[in-house]
Each structure stands twice: as C-alpha cells, then as structure tokens.
Amino acid sequence: MSRYRSTSVHLLGGCNASSDHFVGVCNSNGQVFDTKSPSTVHLGLYVCDASLIPCSIGVNPCLTIATASEHVSRGLVQDVIDTYVGLEGKCFVDEKDDKKPGSIRSWKVEGRSSCDVRFKEVMRGHIGGMPCVAHLNLKMNAKTSKDFDKNSSIVGKSHPLLRGIVGGYLEFNAVEKDKLHIIDGEVDLCEVDIRTPYAQFMHYRLLLAASSGSRYILEGKKVMNPFLLGLYGWKESTTLLVTFKKVKKNNPSEEMVDLEGELHISTIALLRSLISMEGNNKMKFMWLLLRSLFRTYILQKPRGNYMGFAPLELSNRPYPCSTLHEIKTEDGFVIGCRQWKIKNSDSWRLEGEKNPYPVLLINGHSTESYWLPTEPTDLVRTLLDKGHETWLLQPRLHPLNSSNSFTIEDIGRFDIPAAIDKILKLNEKSIKIHVVAHCVGGLAIHIAIMGGHVSATRIASLSCTNSSMFFKLTTWSTFKMWLPLIPITMMILGKNTILPILKTTKANSNQKLLKSVARFIPRYERCPCDECEVFSGIFGNTFWHDNITQTLHQWMNKKSLPCLPMAAFPHLRKICNQGFIVDNKGNNSYLIHPERMALPTLYISGGRTLLVTPKTSLLGTKYMKLHHPSFRHERVVVEGFGHSDLLIGEESCRKVFPHMISHMGLAEKEENLEENGEKKKCFNGDDGFEDGKWVLGGWVSPSFIVWLFLFLLALLVMVK
C-alpha cells in the first residue's frame, strides 16, 4: 500500500495502532502491548496523540487526531474506574488535589479502618420522570471536606460517625448507557440549617463520572420535620429529594442536563443495609442516628439559635421614597394607601409611547408581602424598575389601620373602591389599573369586582397569588377550619379582637392564653422565634423558612407585624368551608355574576403546598376561560414555593415576578391593539361556534372564501 500513500507535512505514526503486537505498538484503545506477554498490555500506559495514526490520511489530520484522542480517553476513564473501584468498591480524591468539578485528580484506594462504619444502600426512583437506581457504598467516620454546601447556613457539625464518604455507582440509562461511577461523594446524616433548626437533613452530594468523559453532580436531601410527632417520619427518612446536573464545560453547544426527582429506599433494601453494616462502631452509629431522629420527631428541640441582624443593616439599604395617603371610605373608616412615583418616567420612552399603567398591591391577612426594606429585589422595587407607578393598599385589615369589627366583604366593598378612586383622581381618568393581590387580598378584589363595587373596565389586568374566586385548602388546614377553633378564639378575645404579636407588647390574660394555645398547635415547620410560632400556630406555616432570608424573617416578626386583627376570621372560615367567596352570611352572592369579571387574569400557585392548594388557581382559570374566553387567562404553578414565599422568597424576583410583569405587558399590548381597531384574539380556542351560532370563519380559511366567491362569479357569467 505504500505506493498509494500521499505525502504529509504533519508528524504521524511511530506508535501505530493495530490488532496485534506484530504490526503495531498499541491496540485500538491506545494501550501499549507488553512484549514479554503479547496477549496483555502495560497497565496504565496509553498513547493518545498523532503517533497512533500509521500513515498520512490525505487531508489535514487535526480533527482525526482529536477524534482518536477522545476515543482513547473514553477507554482510559473506564479502565481506571474498573481497576480502582473494583479493588475496594470506593475511589476518592486526594485532599491536596483541586476540588473543582471537572479537574484532573489523582486516584488512590482508601484502606480500611477499625473506627469506621460501612454499609450499602440501594435506592430506586425517577429523576426527571426517568428511572434511576443508585447503588451506594457508605463509609461513616471518614474525613470529609465539608465544603459542598457553602451557601447553606449550617449549624455546627454533626458527630463524625454521622458523616462520611460515598462510593458506588448509578444506573441512569436515559442519560448515560454505561454506569455513572461515584468518584467523589460525601454524606451527612444529621445536617441542620440555621433557618430551620427544628428540622434534620440527610444530605448526599455525589460527583459522578461516565465512560464518555462527562461528569455529573447529584445532590439530594432527606428532609425530616417534626410534624405530629413524626407522622410522616418513615416517608421522609426513606425519600431522597435529588437534583441532577451536568458539569458545565467550555463548549457552548453542549446540551446541559438539569433534572429533579426522588429516590426511595424500600423496607427490604433498608433491612439489607442493616445486615450489610460492618465496623466496630456500628452499634454506636445506630445509637447516634436514632438519638438524632428522636430529638427531631419526639423531643422537638432546636439545634442552634436563629441569628438576628444589626439594626443599622436596614438603614444601609435605602428604599425609594413614598407618600402615604389617608383615604376615608364610604362607611367612614380611614385607610392608608402608599404611593411610589416614577422619577423621570418619560426620559427613557420614545415619543408618543404611553407610560405603563399604575399597579395596586393588595396584601394578604395582615402580613406585608410587597414592601420589604431588607430585600433589594422585592415586588415594589421590581415594578418601579419597569416604569410602573406603584400603590400599596393598607386596608382595615392592616396592623396600622386595624379595626375591631370588619369582614373581608368590607374590604372589597369599601376599601378597594376608595383606593382605586384615589389613584384615578391623581392620574388621568382614562387610565386603567393593574391589580396584584395575595390570599385574602385576592378574595377581597374578587368580591369587589363580582359584587359590582368596582367595574372591570377600570382594571387592566388582575394577578393573584394563591387566591382566586375559589379558595381550596390543604387537608390539615381544612380540618382546622372545620373544628370550632375560630368561634372559641373570638369568644376568648371578647370585644378586643386585635391580638398583639410582638413578645414585648403588653397583652391581657385572654390574649396571653390564646398565644399560649397557638404555640402548641401542630404545624409542619417549627421556628425558635416566638412571634413566628404564634402566627404559624394560628394560620399554619405561611412560608418555607429555607425560601426566605434571615434578615427578612427577623424584620417580618420584629418590625412588620406588631398586632394581628382577627375580626375577619369568622367570614374567612365561611369562605374556607365553602371553598369559594361568599358574603358574610355564607350566601353565594358573587359567583352568580361572572359577567362582571371581563378582564385578563393570572393565577399563581405554589407547588410546594402549605395552606392553599393549586386547585385554587386551576378552578379560577377554568371559571374565567368558560365565561370570558376572549380575554387572556393564565395559570402558573411555581415549584418549590409554598404560600407567601411566592412574594417574599429569595428567588421570587427570578421565578415569580417575571410572570406578573409579562402578564401586565401583554394586557396593555392587547388593549393598544384594540384601541387601534384590531380585533381581539380569542384565547380559549375557536371551535367554529359563537354564542351557539355557526360561524363560517371558524373553520374555513379566508383564501377559500375568496376562491369560492370567484368561482361562483365565473359560473354566473358563464350561465348568462
């Protein structure tokens, strides 16, 4: 063949790849043949450059060399894994090596120690809807770097026997056909976050390597909360909530992987793990683990204290200036409405372009969800950045304007109309208002519109979080509402229905009794903050503590909520028991008027349900699409969020607020199109029928109608 070879200016050959040692130096995987034993190769010796290519290929060999190197590297990774993992079932990284995922690390096999405890776990489940099996080899009391969760606020360290390293592999054929071997894994079976000191986490962090050269990170937690003395203890301790991500490389075209799912360990697999346990300290390990679970579920003692913040920290975060307007309602009650104006709003807009409509924010029951001085990206700041003049309603439900006698119906009948009239008075009469409402505020705005107290023509769009004209609660919350707790509470309070929340505020004997009872009512998450315990005892957990910052939690409980007006609780109980908005007497006076809700809506629910279930937004969206298909009606379920943390969460600005901003922008855009004479689009699908009458344009294209008309015209001419 030499006479057919073309010349090349590139250096090729020298360690030719071949099928045997007689005609080459390496095999097809780049392994060097052993001349003393021709049937074997030198362990760990590879050739992966241009010397593998025996002759010139006739074109620039750059890509060929790269392809050959990639092929050899795949075999190299698999051989290393098979060699070293096969010896002890565990590979780990030298502590002096670089800890960054994707870096080249040195491998060594760890020897056995008489102080450690070793056992195996097999967990099965689905990640991203795809089956996955994890075969884990755990070695407790092993030295770990403990640096895989730098962003988490960890309270101290657990006992060394409850921390260790993890080996083994994953079978995840949907991502990689071969096994994903664990090259670096750590586990802590008693981790505690300072934001949730009553809860215990079993935290796994695994760095996985595939024979293809790709690397992945699997991070999972078993979350154990002391609810009803461990009612869900078995499920929580055997369910691993995981995230599965591919380690990023410098290749922008590479497809990334970011999945979530659950892995479970069965009863039989758990028994096998106990049987497989080895080590001199296995009895001590079992004692420490059971003691930590007993403290979490039975004793319910917090680990660590909730850290506060310096008072000057708030003043170091300047908030946009606002004006508080006092408004007298139709029934003579004085409410507040805070206004944030846009500075130089016209300077960044094109000539003739309209300013965005103002936004009215309506809070839930007493707590502040929009105006958060500790957060740099709360909803008020976000709306101001988008050019919206922002108004925050402080109704008679607000702690600063609290009343001893009112209902949710009063807020919808008097407070909201008065606030909207004030906004329109200070702006052009022709403008409309975007409304954003949360929880009880959402119930009140629906009462205002469907009760005829506010015209839908004044509302540009409506966005509600965990609220709609329907109000569906979780099973536990429904059970609490069914019990006569609220009537007993109102009887204990007497005429003064305002409950002081702050620990430093004076309270009478009845109020102290009620607060003491509230502390003992079961709730899913406990908190060492006394004010938070009282509030969550009354309402239930309104947010997941790991979703909000420590400074916000401290501000909410020490600054934002001095008292809790409870006069509206009887009306709220009637709404909860009915599952939809009713009047103060429990009559269905609002759902019978769907014609009054002619406006675009957005209903947002938290996917990690705490109080109000996503069924609330589902029923609300279906109701609106049924009665007003010509308007835009959207529904969003945000995973990982509960109730009020949809608005006060650390990630709300990234995962929740964009939906609201987009909805407002689309509503204004559609209104501008309508003003220009363009027909409004039907968002509920067009099935060819409208008001029970057949519509030709519903199923026949315009071009077909034109051709049909021309054909009939030609036929008529021919007949004549």
Side-chain angles (χ1 to χ4, degrees):
M1 290 180 59
S2 60
R3 62 196 181 103
Y4 297 107
R5 293 178 183 174
S6 58
T7 59
S8 174
V9 296
H10 299 277
L11 298 177
L12 301 172
C15 293
N16 297 355
S18 65
S19 58
D20 56 61
H21 70 286
F22 293 106
V23 293
V25 179
C26 307
N27 63 11
S28 59
N29 292 326
Q31 296 172 299
V32 179
F33 291 118
D34 188 352
T35 56
K36 296 181 180 179
S37 179
S39 60
T40 61
V41 295
H42 289 285
L43 183 63
L45 182 59
Y46 297 84
V47 175
C48 58
D49 63 353
S51 58
L52 284 172
I53 304 173
C55 61
S56 174
I57 59 175
V59 294
N60 191 307
C62 179
L63 295 178
T64 306
I65 297 171
T67 303
S69 300
E70 182 179 1
H71 170 73
V72 173
S73 66
R74 292 186 179 185
L76 187 151
V77 171
Q78 187 62 52
D79 290 342
V80 170
I81 291 175
D82 293 342
T83 301
Y84 289 102
V85 175
L87 294 176
E88 282 285 342
K90 170 72 180 76
C91 280
F92 72 98
V93 183
D94 194 341
E95 296 172 6
K96 297 181 180 180
D97 287 342
D98 182 16
K99 295 293 183 181
K100 295 181 180 179
S103 62
I104 299 177
R105 305 168 182 237
S106 63
W107 298 71
K108 62 182 180 181
V109 180
E110 184 180 13
R112 293 179 179 269
S113 172
S114 59
C115 299
D116 56 31
V117 175
R118 299 173 300 278
F119 59 94
K120 298 180 180 180
E121 280 187 348
V122 178
M123 291 187 282
R124 305 174 186 272
H126 291 80
I127 302 178
M130 298 170 285
C132 177
V133 182
H135 300 265
L136 307 180
N137 301 323
L138 289 85
K139 181 176 180 179
M140 314 309 292
N141 198 27
K143 188 175 181 181
T144 61
S145 60
K146 197 60 181 177
D147 64 348
F148 57 83
D149 200 5
K150 294 180 180 179
N151 295 326
S152 180
S153 304
I154 304 301
V155 180
K157 286 187 177 181
S158 55
H159 193 280
L161 262 180
L162 298 179
R163 289 181 281 121
I165 55 179
V166 185
Y169 62 91
L170 262 72
E171 294 178 355
F172 199 3
N173 295 332
V175 176
E176 293 283 348
K177 294 182 179 179
D178 299 326
K179 296 177 181 178
L180 296 172
H181 290 273
I182 301 172
I183 60 175
D184 188 15
E186 296 184 354
V187 62
D188 189 342
L189 299 182
C190 187
E191 183 179 276
V192 180
D193 193 320
I194 195 172
R195 293 176 293 185
T196 56
Y198 282 91
Q200 177 181 342
F201 302 94
M202 294 184 180
H203 193 174
Y204 294 69
R205 193 272 190 182
L206 312 176
L207 177 62
L208 309 167
S211 59
S212 62
S214 300
R215 293 197 176 190
Y216 303 87
I217 291 178
L218 184 145
E219 191 161 0
K221 283 186 178 182
K222 297 177 182 178
V223 184
M224 288 157 282
N225 280 299
F227 179 60
L228 293 178
L229 299 177
L231 178 64
Y232 300 107
W234 175 258
K235 180 181 179 181
E236 292 173 341
S237 59
T238 57
T239 302
L240 185 68
L241 307 175
V242 302
T243 58
F244 185 86
K245 297 182 180 181
K246 189 174 184 179
V247 177
K248 293 182 179 180
K249 296 182 179 179
N250 295 327
N251 184 6
S253 62
E254 183 181 12
E255 184 178 355
M256 301 311 299
V257 178
D258 189 354
L259 306 173
E260 295 181 355
E262 294 182 358
L263 297 177
H264 306 270
I265 181 170
S266 63
T267 305
I268 297 176
L270 186 60
L271 291 175
R272 288 176 179 172
S273 296
L274 295 176
I275 295 173
S276 68
M277 191 174 296
E278 300 176 355
N280 297 333
N281 288 331
K282 60 182 180 181
M283 297 304 297
K284 184 178 180 181
F285 166 77
M286 291 296 299
W287 161 251
L288 290 171
L289 182 60
L290 292 175
R291 188 179 69 174
S292 68
L293 295 176
F294 183 79
R295 175 171 179 166
T296 299
Y297 285 120
I298 307 301
L299 299 180
Q300 298 188 9
K301 290 185 177 180
R303 298 173 175 90
N305 295 317
Y306 204 94
M307 296 177 61
F309 62 99
L312 293 177
E313 189 170 352
L314 292 179
S315 61
N316 292 334
R317 298 179 180 181
Y319 207 85
C321 297
S322 62
T323 304
L324 179 61
H325 299 274
E326 291 188 352
I327 305 172
K328 191 172 184 179
T329 63
E330 188 178 342
D331 64 340
F333 194 84
V334 178
I335 62 172
C337 201
R338 189 170 293 275
Q339 176 192 18
W340 284 270
K341 294 182 179 180
I342 301 297
K343 295 182 179 180
N344 301 324
S345 58
D346 296 329
S347 59
W348 54 278
R349 296 195 171 274
L350 299 176
E351 185 177 355
E353 187 177 359
K354 297 170 60 176
N355 289 327
Y357 288 146
V359 180
L360 175 63
L361 306 176
I362 307 175
N363 275 307
H365 202 296
S366 304
T367 57
E368 182 57 60
S369 303
Y370 306 108
W371 176 29
L372 310 174
T374 65
E375 305 305 298
T377 54
D378 62 355
L379 186 55
V380 171
R381 296 182 200 255
T382 302
L383 292 172
L384 292 175
D385 291 340
K386 297 298 180 180
H388 291 277
E389 179 181 298
T390 306
W391 293 73
L392 176 62
L393 177 62
Q394 296 177 346
R396 61 194 74 199
L397 186 65
H398 195 273
L400 299 180
N401 304 314
S402 52
S403 170
N404 274 314
S405 178
F406 70 95
T407 65
I408 300 174
E409 198 172 22
D410 293 332
I411 300 173
R413 184 179 178 183
F414 301 113
D415 297 1
I416 294 177
I420 292 178
D421 289 339
K422 182 68 174 181
I423 297 173
L424 295 176
K425 183 179 179 180
L426 296 180
N427 291 274
E428 300 175 9
K429 293 292 184 180
S430 59
I431 70 165
K432 293 186 176 182
I433 301 171
H434 296 290
V435 178
V436 178
H438 172 64
C439 189
V440 172
L443 300 176
I445 186 62
H446 282 89
I447 289 175
I449 299 174
M450 302 182 80
H453 309 298
V454 173
S455 173
T457 58
R458 293 181 169 187
I459 309 298
S461 72
L462 174 62
S463 302
C464 292
T465 54
N466 280 323
S467 183
S468 68
M469 66 284 293
F470 297 92
F471 207 62
K472 299 296 182 179
L473 303 182
T474 60
T475 303
W476 174 247
S477 299
T478 303
F479 176 72
K480 286 172 61 178
M481 283 294 178
W482 177 78
L483 294 174
L485 296 178
I486 290 180
I488 295 174
T489 298
M490 304 309 294
M491 184 177 63
I492 293 175
L493 289 176
K495 294 182 179 180
N496 186 8
T497 60
I498 301 175
L499 180 68
I501 296 295
L502 292 180
K503 194 174 182 179
T504 56
T505 306
K506 292 183 179 180
N508 58 38
S509 57
N510 291 346
Q511 293 169 341
K512 290 180 180 179
L513 174 62
L514 184 60
K515 292 171 68 174
S516 300
V517 172
R519 293 187 186 97
F520 287 97
I521 295 178
R523 79 290 312 271
Y524 192 71
E525 271 194 345
R526 299 290 305 276
C527 180
C529 178
D530 183 75
E531 291 83 359
C532 186
E533 281 287 274
V534 173
F535 189 83
S536 61
I538 296 173
F539 284 97
N541 293 116
T542 56
F543 54 83
W544 293 103
H545 284 73
D546 56 356
N547 280 344
I548 67 172
T549 62
Q550 300 175 44
T551 52
L552 176 62
H553 183 276
Q554 194 79 353
W555 176 81
M556 286 177 56
N557 292 286
K558 301 298 183 182
K559 302 283 185 181
S560 172
L561 190 62
C563 61
L564 178 63
M566 302 185 67
F569 268 49
H571 187 200
L572 179 61
R573 182 172 183 249
K574 293 177 182 178
I575 294 176
C576 293
N577 290 335
Q578 291 288 344
F580 53 86
I581 52 175
V582 295
D583 60 21
N584 190 33
K585 297 180 180 179
N587 300 321
N588 180 14
S589 304
Y590 302 106
L591 291 186
I592 58 177
H593 295 291
E595 72 281 355
R596 296 173 178 172
M597 283 291 294
L599 74 166
T601 58
L602 167 65
Y603 295 119
I604 303 177
S605 292
R608 198 176 168 195
T609 304
L610 276 171
L611 292 176
V612 183
T613 67
K615 191 176 180 181
T616 298
S617 60
L618 176 64
L619 294 176
T621 305
K622 285 186 175 181
Y623 181 91
M624 293 302 298
K625 286 186 175 182
L626 175 65
H627 295 288
H628 296 284
S630 60
F631 288 90
R632 179 182 297 275
H633 305 294
E634 299 175 282
R635 175 179 181 253
V636 178
V637 178
V638 187
E639 296 298 332
F641 287 81
H643 191 65
S644 60
D645 46 351
L646 279 171
L647 298 169
I648 66 176
E650 195 172 3
E651 295 292 320
S652 298
C653 60
R654 189 170 61 88
K655 297 182 179 180
V656 182
F657 298 165
H659 296 291
M660 298 179 179
I661 301 298
S662 174
H663 180 68
M664 296 177 192
L666 290 173
E668 293 189 21
K669 183 178 179 181
E670 290 160 7
E671 186 173 330
N672 292 335
L673 293 176
E674 189 176 5
E675 290 178 357
N676 295 332
E678 298 186 27
K679 187 177 180 180
K680 183 180 288 189
K681 180 181 177 182
C682 179
F683 295 99
N684 199 30
D686 190 356
D687 57 0
F689 290 86
E690 186 177 7
D691 295 332
K693 298 180 181 179
W694 178 61
V695 182
L696 181 65
W699 64 277
V700 180
S701 65
S703 60
F704 178 82
I705 298 175
V706 173
W707 283 108
L708 180 61
F709 175 78
L710 293 176
F711 174 78
L712 294 176
L713 183 61
L715 185 63
L716 182 62
V717 172
M718 291 175 63
V719 171
K720 289 184 177 181

